[in-house]
Amino acid sequence: QVQLVESGGGLVQPGGSLRLSCSASGDIYQIGFMRWYRQTPGNQRELVAQISSSNTTNYADSVKGRFTVSRANAKNTMYLQMNSLKAADTAVYYCNADAMLTMDYRVKDYWGKGTLVTVSA
């Protein structure tokens, strides 16, 4: 199996910055797309940013220009640099990845347990 662990969440003031990390481990052959989602109580889980294995990126309109997603493939790690944070960015942020195990040709979907980001004065 593949394990995804998020880190870097916490409390930050409006206008501030925060960087989230997602580290993947396990018997990994290849990781394709990696994504950041976020969710607040009563709302659907929202796709925030996506990055391909070749570093093509996509962002939700609500974060475009403020957030930057990147990855370090040698470390199986994805990052989300969040700048100019707003109260509306408060949510649990989840790491998601499409990956293949070394002895399995199938691409499977994996999720982390999330890290809480709170934007408040």
Side-chain angles (χ1 to χ4, degrees):
Q1 284 288 342
V2 175
Q3 295 82 45
L4 301 176
V5 179
E6 303 96 338
S7 62
L11 175 64
V12 64
Q13 294 184 345
S17 297
L18 210 60
R19 190 177 82 151
L20 305 182
S21 298
C22 171
S23 295
S25 61
D27 194 15
I28 301 168
Y29 174 74
Q30 188 176 68
I31 298 178
F33 285 100
M34 299 187 80
R35 306 173 184 90
W36 287 103
Y37 285 80
R38 67 186 182 187
Q39 188 170 27
T40 55
N43 293 317
Q44 303 257 17
R45 189 166 294 187
E46 173 191 23
L47 177 62
V48 176
Q50 174 182 276
I51 184 166
S52 74
S53 59
S54 60
N55 293 316
T56 299
T57 58
N58 291 280
Y59 300 92
D61 288 340
S62 58
V63 307
K64 193 172 297 182
R66 300 187 297 119
F67 291 10
T68 302
V69 64
S70 61
R71 64 193 287 172
N73 291 331
K75 299 166 58 180
N76 287 328
T77 302
M78 175 179 64
Y79 306 95
L80 185 67
Q81 179 65 46
M82 304 185 293
N83 298 325
S84 302
L85 283 162
K86 309 172 181 178
D89 295 318
T90 297
V92 176
Y93 284 72
Y94 296 91
C95 177
N96 168 254
D98 299 331
M100 296 173 58
L101 302 179
T102 55
M103 297 297 290
D104 193 341
Y105 71 93
R106 296 171 296 177
V107 177
K108 296 183 178 180
D109 195 47
Y110 298 91
W111 290 89
K113 294 182 178 179
T115 185
L116 177 63
V117 172
T118 302
V119 184
S120 176

